[in-house]
Structure formats: C-alpha cells, structure tokens
Amino acid sequence: MSTVTAVQSQTVVEWMTSLAEDVKAQADHLTQLDAAIGDGDHGINMNRGMAAVLGALEQQDDGVAPGKLLIAAGRTLVSTVGGASGPLWGSFFRGVGRALGDAPEPDAEQLGEALAAGLKAVQDLGAAAPGDKTMVDALGPAVEAYRAAVAGGGGLAEAASAASEAAAEGAKATVPLQARKGRASYLGERSVGHEDPGAASTVLVMGALARAVG
Ligand code: ADP
Ligand code: MG
C-alpha cells in the first residue's frame, strides 16, 4: 500500500506545502479555538509561519537533504512566529531535521526516531507533560502510533496515517482537560470544555505528513 519507501527532499517540500495549505484553510478555526482559551492568534501565527517556511524552502538549493530542509523550516518558524507555537513548532521541525541529519533518503524507522526527537525538543522547551492540554497531547500519541506501526512492519504511509489518526484522537481528548501550560492555564478550570489549539494544529501537521508519504 505504501507508495513512498523513503523520505526524500521532495517529500519534505510536499509535507510543508500541504501543511501550509491546510493551515491557511483552517486558520479561522485555529484562531477560534485560541479565542476560547487563549488570545485568538493561533491561526494567524501558524499561517504567517507556514507562508514564511514555503518562502524559505524556495531559497534552498536542489539536492539539500530532507533533514536540512526541516532544520530550515524550523528555524523559519522560530524567527517569524511571535507566539508560543512558533518556537515550539520550530523546535519540533528542527529536532526532526537534526535527527535525520545528512541522510539523503531516511526510511520509515529513521523518521520515527526523528519524530521522537522532535517531540523531545518540544518537551525540553515547553516542559509540558501529557495531560497538560497542549500540543504534546496530540504529538505524543502521534509519535507513539507512528513507531508502533513501524515496529509492526508498517511502511511510511501506514505509520504516518496511524500518526494522523492518533493526533486527531489526542486533540479530541484535550477537550475535558484543564490547561496546565501556556496561556490557557491562566483560565484554570474555565479552560475545560475546549479543544487545545496547538493540539488541533498537530492534527494538521500529521495529516500533511500522511498525505506527503501516502
Ligand atoms: P500563544 O499562546 O503565545 O498565543 P499560540 O496561540 O500560537 O501562542 O499557541 C498556543 C498553543 O501553544 C497552545 O494551544 C498549546 O498547544 C501550545 N503551547 C503553549 N505553551 C506550551 C508549552 N509550554 N508546551 C507545549 N505546548 C504549548
Ligand atoms: Mg495564542
């Protein structure tokens, strides 16, 4: 079923292009989620960041390794997005990229290790634990599902599709949680009953990956 057996530079370009399109289409939705428990800028932040990422990728020479492209994407998010999500998503993509290193065509297993490194970078920076009602509640299950699929013999497409489904479930599961990190935590119990915006953007990140490798 898997159509792509390795991550190529073009795969990263497709991942980021697809994500930018989705973020643009969902910007109002992300912003509404953030308006409920934050400051209503998450869609704007992600949209600005992803537009800048596409611009930065266009500047890259042909033949640059996938990992290097992801590092460039991450660096761009850190420098163009003011909100918490810029440095956090920037750290994620940089972490994934650094773990992939110079490998010209990393395979499904290498991408799994790299996604885990990206998750670790997010947690090192933001110190969010599972259950704190953040992007970690979607990203953690996504990385776990990805790696479980690969451990079970699945290829890139199967693993990324499992990650995408797990992210969606994780995001839904943030609704009843009380936020313990980020702006939403200022609301205390009033943060209960709303989906976390960063968890919702995680669904877009994983969905775009699944499309890029599917
Ligand atoms: P800001 O909160 O600065 O306005 P955004 O609205 O762009 O930034 O992003 C908010 C999202 O960032 C939250 O929904 C949450 O998922 C994520 N977030 C905030 N703080 C943390 C943290 N410490 N660790 C992980 N994710 C976090
Ligand atoms: Mg915000």
Side-chain angles (χ1 to χ4, degrees), residues 34 39 41-42 45 82-85 88 122 126-128 133-136 181-183 196-199:
D34 195 34
D39 57 354
D41 64 355
H42 189 57
N45 287 342
S85 60
L88 287 161
V122 168
K133 195 180 181 97
T134 70
M135 57 174 69
V136 168
K181 282 281 183 287
R183 276 179 204 280
D196 176 65

Side-chain angles (χ1 to χ4, degrees), residues 8-100:
Q8 299 172 327
S9 302
Q10 187 56 27
T11 316
V12 172
V13 172
E14 283 170 22
W15 182 9
M16 294 300 114
T17 305
S18 184
L19 177 57
E21 283 168 7
D22 247 21
V23 160
K24 196 171 184 183
Q26 298 287 322
D28 285 349
H29 175 61
L30 294 177
T31 284
Q32 277 163 21
L33 293 177
D34 195 34
I37 56 170
D39 57 354
D41 64 355
H42 189 57
I44 296 160
N45 287 342
M46 293 298 289
N47 202 23
R48 181 194 303 133
M50 287 313 301
V53 165
L54 293 193
L57 291 182
E58 274 172 23
Q59 307 292 313
Q60 299 286 317
D61 295 333
D62 286 350
V64 174
K68 300 291 177 204
L69 293 181
L70 285 164
I71 291 171
R75 200 188 309 127
T76 304
L77 288 175
V78 172
S79 62
T80 55
V81 180
S85 60
L88 287 161
W89 277 123
S91 297
F92 174 74
F93 288 117
R94 267 195 322 210
V96 175
R98 281 187 185 144
L100 293 178

Side-chain angles (χ1 to χ4, degrees), residues 106-202:
D107 64 12
E109 193 173 350
Q110 284 171 293
L111 181 60
E113 283 160 19
L115 291 171
L119 169 63
K120 184 177 182 301
V122 168
Q123 291 192 276
D124 284 349
L125 179 65
D132 284 350
K133 195 180 181 97
T134 70
M135 57 174 69
V136 168
D137 291 314
L139 201 48
V143 173
E144 203 174 307
Y146 179 102
R147 297 185 87 186
V150 172
L156 269 175
E158 202 180 308
S161 148
S164 174
E165 280 170 30
E169 279 166 30
K172 240 184 267 161
T174 64
V175 174
L177 298 175
Q178 178 173 332
R180 286 193 291 253
K181 282 281 183 287
R183 276 179 204 280
S185 66
Y186 307 158
L187 291 181
E189 283 176 11
R190 282 182 293 136
S191 65
V192 172
H194 302 277
E195 184 176 339
D196 176 65
S201 59
T202 307

